[in-house]
């Protein structure tokens, strides 16, 4: 679980269009929604490493900034919905 916490507090803030919502007592999950806000996939994170959690977002077209102050490139502004990686 320490790996997941590192992902949540160190990596997740660098991802564009991704957010963390803490639910007391719940196991951590990555939840994907489509453009209309409809849940399309739910992935448990408890057994994942920090790198595996990060890879899940990258593989699904989320843009990861190098720093929190970095501007988002225009082609990723609507990502992951119109990303070059894949349509969710």
């Amino acid at each position: 679980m320490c790996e997941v916490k590192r992902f949540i507090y160190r990596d997740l803030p660098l991802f564009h269009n991704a957010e963390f919502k803490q639910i007391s007592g719940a196991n951590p999950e990555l939840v994907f929604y489509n453009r209309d806000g409809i849940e399309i996939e739910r992935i448990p994170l408890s057994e994942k490493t920090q790198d595996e959690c990060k890879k899940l977002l990258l593989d699904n077209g989320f843009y990861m900034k190098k720093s929190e102050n970095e501007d988002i490139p225009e082609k990723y502004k609507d990502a992951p919905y119109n990303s070059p990686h894949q349509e969710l």
Side-chain angles (χ1 to χ4, degrees):
M1 189 70 87
C2 291
E3 293 269 330
V4 175
K5 285 184 180 181
R6 276 197 294 276
F7 165 73
I8 290 169
Y9 294 108
R10 293 182 187 172
D11 297 327
L12 194 61
L14 298 175
F15 280 95
H16 178 62
N17 283 345
E19 64 182 66
F20 171 65
K21 291 184 182 178
Q22 185 168 357
I23 300 172
S24 183
N27 287 326
E29 295 179 312
L30 189 59
V31 182
F32 291 103
Y33 296 91
N34 67 12
R35 181 185 304 273
D36 299 320
I38 297 169
E39 182 180 318
I40 57 171
E41 187 175 7
R42 187 175 288 258
I43 302 169
L45 297 180
S46 297
E47 302 298 319
K48 304 242 183 262
T49 66
Q50 181 179 1
D51 286 339
E52 289 171 330
C53 293
K54 187 171 22 176
K55 186 174 181 337
L56 280 170
L57 286 177
L58 291 170
D59 287 351
N60 280 283
F62 286 85
Y63 179 77
M64 185 177 180
K65 302 182 284 185
K66 291 178 178 58
S67 73
E68 289 193 49
N69 300 330
E70 179 187 341
D71 290 332
I72 305 299
E74 193 61 40
K75 69 180 182 179
Y76 291 104
K77 294 266 184 188
D78 291 327
Y81 311 113
N82 293 323
S83 75
H85 301 286
Q86 82 181 45
E87 181 81 16
L88 285 182

